[in-house]
Amino acid sequence: ALLKLNTPQLLKLIFWSLMMLGAMLCYFQSIKMSGVAVSAAILGAQPVLIILLAGLFLREKISFVSSICAVLSLIGIYMVSKPDELFSGNGFGQLFALASAILLSLIFIFQKKYLKEFSGLQLVFYQCLFQLPFLFPFLLNDHTSISMPLISSWLLLGIVCTALSYYLIYSGVKPD
């Protein structure tokens, strides 16, 4: 049953998985260009974007408190980032971080609207399955010597920090 998908389900899952892949690649590029602090701060726009996009695409009501929180978050992100450098030097890193936040926000909206029939475990499985062919070449391009501590780190990061965290997140995004 896990691998039996109809064509519309398959296409939605592939599209959704590729959005997540794009979000990850944008975020890592942002870290390379702008550093972790600025990238993480701009990624903090994600909850604000989810509120706005849920209002737009899911017709969810935006409460007054959520509006105030969104404005305060945007002010904080503005104060941490360097808007005058947006289209030069480190500014491109900021744009990559913003693209990552937008894609991550769309992932949750898309999941809530179009992937209701899948459990959190199924979503993590399909996401990993569809992303792996795109991520595997990066592993082959890396010239790091493979050792047991490295494999242990990969497993810990892959299973606990990625798969388990996304399972919990996806399980928390429940349809109405």
Side-chain angles (χ1 to χ4, degrees):
L2 190 59
L3 293 175
K4 290 185 179 182
L5 298 169
N6 60 42
T7 302
Q9 287 175 321
L10 179 65
L11 292 175
K12 285 186 227 176
L13 285 165
I14 290 172
F15 177 73
W16 179 75
S17 297
L18 293 178
M19 277 197 306
M20 179 56 136
L21 179 65
M24 290 188 309
L25 294 175
C26 284
Y27 188 62
F28 287 120
Q29 187 62 33
S30 171
I31 290 171
K32 273 175 72 174
M33 296 175 83
S34 295
V36 174
V38 171
S39 299
I42 294 172
L43 190 66
Q46 181 186 347
V48 174
L49 294 170
I50 289 174
I51 290 169
L52 298 174
L53 292 172
L56 181 66
F57 293 116
L58 303 176
R59 304 287 184 230
E60 291 183 2
K61 189 175 186 295
I62 302 172
S63 71
F64 177 73
V65 172
S66 292
S67 299
I68 296 298
C69 291
V71 169
L72 290 174
S73 295
L74 290 174
I75 291 169
I77 292 165
Y78 178 80
M79 291 173 71
V80 172
S81 64
K82 300 171 184 162
D84 54 317
E85 296 179 5
L86 199 55
F87 294 102
S88 65
N90 289 343
F92 286 114
Q94 294 177 44
L95 290 174
F96 277 112
L98 185 58
S100 180
I102 291 167
L103 285 170
L104 284 170
S105 301
L106 288 171
I107 286 163
F108 295 116
I109 300 300
F110 191 87
Q111 176 197 348
K112 192 167 182 180
K113 187 165 184 165
Y114 297 111
L115 301 174
K116 296 175 187 178
E117 69 269 24
F118 297 101
S119 71
L121 189 59
Q122 288 172 314
L123 290 171
V124 169
F125 172 77
Y126 288 124
Q127 194 170 66
C128 292
L129 180 69
F130 296 137
Q131 289 177 355
L132 195 58
F134 294 97
L135 294 172
F136 195 69
F138 288 107
L139 179 65
L140 296 176
N141 192 33
D142 188 23
H143 301 292
T144 305
S145 59
I146 297 176
S147 63
M148 277 314 288
L150 182 61
I151 292 171
S152 300
S153 296
W154 283 345
L155 289 173
L156 180 68
L157 288 169
I159 294 170
V160 176
C161 298
T162 304
L164 180 61
S165 347
Y166 278 104
Y167 165 73
L168 293 171
I169 291 169
Y170 296 152
S171 296
V173 178
K174 302 220 186 279
D176 297 335

